[in-house]
Amino acid sequence: VKRAVLAPPPRTTPTLAIFVKNHTRTQGMDDEVDGIRDRLAAEVSGLGLSVMDSAEIGAAFNRYKITTREEREGLVSGLFTGGSATRVAQMIGADYILVASVVGASSVRRVAGDRQVIVYTLRLSTKVLDATTGASVYGKNWSGKRPTPVQDKVEQDEALVHFNDLADDWVAEVGEELADSAKG
């Protein structure tokens, strides 16, 4: 034998891939998606799951070199346009896929007593899909509100600051719930 190659040890820790989508038209929210994914990955990393880095996921997709144009021309079937969670999970080597969606981000001015407040609202949804069956093993809709007093001589706060604070609250809550559900 001139050269021996050791096989990687069998994986005992389930692998999770995280995808975050923005369904809002809130200015600047697209730029926040990576940060939300990173915070969510950090929160769930300690739950007995191995969380895939976004670079790993990108490299897995690049190995396949498949484009939506090829799908439209019938060369391959439904990976990006209607592809299944099981197919995506097979491609990237994940056991579970966590899909989080920013469903809404809004602010409204209200009067509370004799003070004006701006109420910031962030709505998110979370699903965890089993890579083998594609079935949802966890799901939740979440909504958080943050009333903020309007200061007379201070400019209105940047809305994304409040949305990020609300996202931190959501990440902590989702992490706790996933930890509880992972035990079962």
Side-chain angles (χ1 to χ4, degrees), residues 16-153:
L16 175 74
I18 299 174
F19 295 91
V20 178
K21 303 183 289 185
N22 174 28
H23 293 293
T24 72
R25 292 190 175 142
T26 303
Q27 186 175 356
M29 189 58 76
D30 284 338
D31 296 332
E32 301 300 319
V33 167
D34 288 339
I36 292 171
R37 184 188 61 243
D38 290 346
R39 287 180 276 179
L40 192 53
E43 189 71 26
V44 300
S45 289
L47 302 180
L49 296 168
S50 174
V51 178
M52 296 184 83
D53 184 75
S54 59
E56 291 178 80
I57 295 169
F61 277 111
N62 286 334
R63 280 195 302 270
Y64 284 86
K65 305 287 187 209
I66 297 171
T67 66
T68 55
R69 181 187 59 77
E70 291 169 317
E71 286 185 18
R72 285 192 304 271
E73 292 173 359
L75 300 175
V76 293
S77 60
L79 176 61
F80 294 105
T81 55
S84 69
T86 55
R87 177 70 175 120
V88 170
Q90 289 169 355
M91 284 180 55
I92 62 178
D95 299 308
Y96 296 96
I97 294 178
L98 189 153
V99 180
S101 298
V102 182
V103 180
S106 62
S107 61
V108 64
R109 204 175 268 265
R110 298 275 188 235
V111 176
D114 61 345
R115 300 200 67 183
Q116 280 200 359
V117 296
I118 298 176
V119 180
Y120 296 93
T121 304
L122 185 66
R123 293 187 335 269
L124 298 118
S125 68
T126 313
K127 286 188 295 190
V128 176
L129 306 171
D130 182 301
T132 308
T133 64
S136 179
V137 295
Y138 170 86
K140 180 165 184 174
N141 290 313
W142 183 90
S143 181
K145 293 181 183 291
R146 178 158 298 199
T148 305
V150 175
Q151 303 297 325
D152 291 333
K153 296 180 181 176

Side-chain angles (χ1 to χ4, degrees), residues 39-40 43 166-178:
R39 287 180 276 179
L40 192 53
E43 189 71 26
L166 288 164
D168 287 341
D169 296 345
W170 165 75
V171 163
E173 191 174 314
V174 165
E176 287 178 24
E177 289 186 12
L178 285 175

